[in-house]
Amino acid sequence: MYVFLKIKNNFSNKQIRLEFLGGEVTLYNHFIELMKFCKEHNFNSTILSNGSRTIRYWEELAPYLDRILLTFHADEADQSHFNNVISSLIANRIEPIV
């Protein structure tokens, strides 16, 4: 997180957007805390996810999200769960890009 603050300090007159991509970023054990840090320090964030985490997880993460790109993997994903994730995000004022 030190690196993020260093970037912000070097570009203090710019809005910094952090993009968390590749693999399943929500599997990082401290991802919610990381996103909370980003929100508290006024970073704009975008994440890429397959939406596989629990609805409870998405409810907890939603206040710290700015933008999310959800990918649906038909061979592996549960469509009902995926739709519930989308509904949960929308209910928390996050409009996912699918």
Side-chain angles (χ1 to χ4, degrees):
M1 291 188 251
Y2 170 76
V3 171
F4 297 155
L5 292 177
K6 191 169 183 177
I7 292 168
K8 184 177 179 179
N9 289 335
N10 285 331
F11 298 96
S12 59
N13 61 334
K14 302 286 185 185
Q15 173 65 48
I16 305 295
R17 179 176 54 205
L18 303 173
E19 296 182 353
F20 298 91
L21 314 168
E24 180 52 40
V25 297
T26 63
L27 293 179
Y28 172 56
N29 288 337
H30 305 287
F31 192 69
I32 292 175
E33 292 84 4
L34 174 60
M35 298 308 292
K36 182 178 180 180
F37 170 88
C38 291
K39 184 64 85 174
E40 289 172 347
H41 288 89
N42 297 314
F43 288 104
N44 187 287
S45 62
T46 299
I47 72 168
L48 174 66
S49 175
N50 62 21
S52 60
R53 299 298 298 254
T54 65
I55 298 301
R56 184 185 63 77
Y57 182 89
W58 291 109
E59 295 283 332
E60 189 175 343
L61 180 61
Y64 311 115
L65 292 177
D66 293 309
R67 189 172 300 106
I68 182 169
L69 300 121
L70 288 175
T71 59
F72 182 76
H73 304 273
D75 293 340
E76 304 167 7
D78 174 340
Q79 186 172 355
S80 176
H81 175 75
F82 193 78
N83 290 340
N84 289 337
V85 169
I86 292 170
S87 295
S88 174
L89 291 167
I90 291 171
N92 283 283
R93 291 183 236 122
I94 304 295
E95 293 187 23
I97 299 167
V98 179

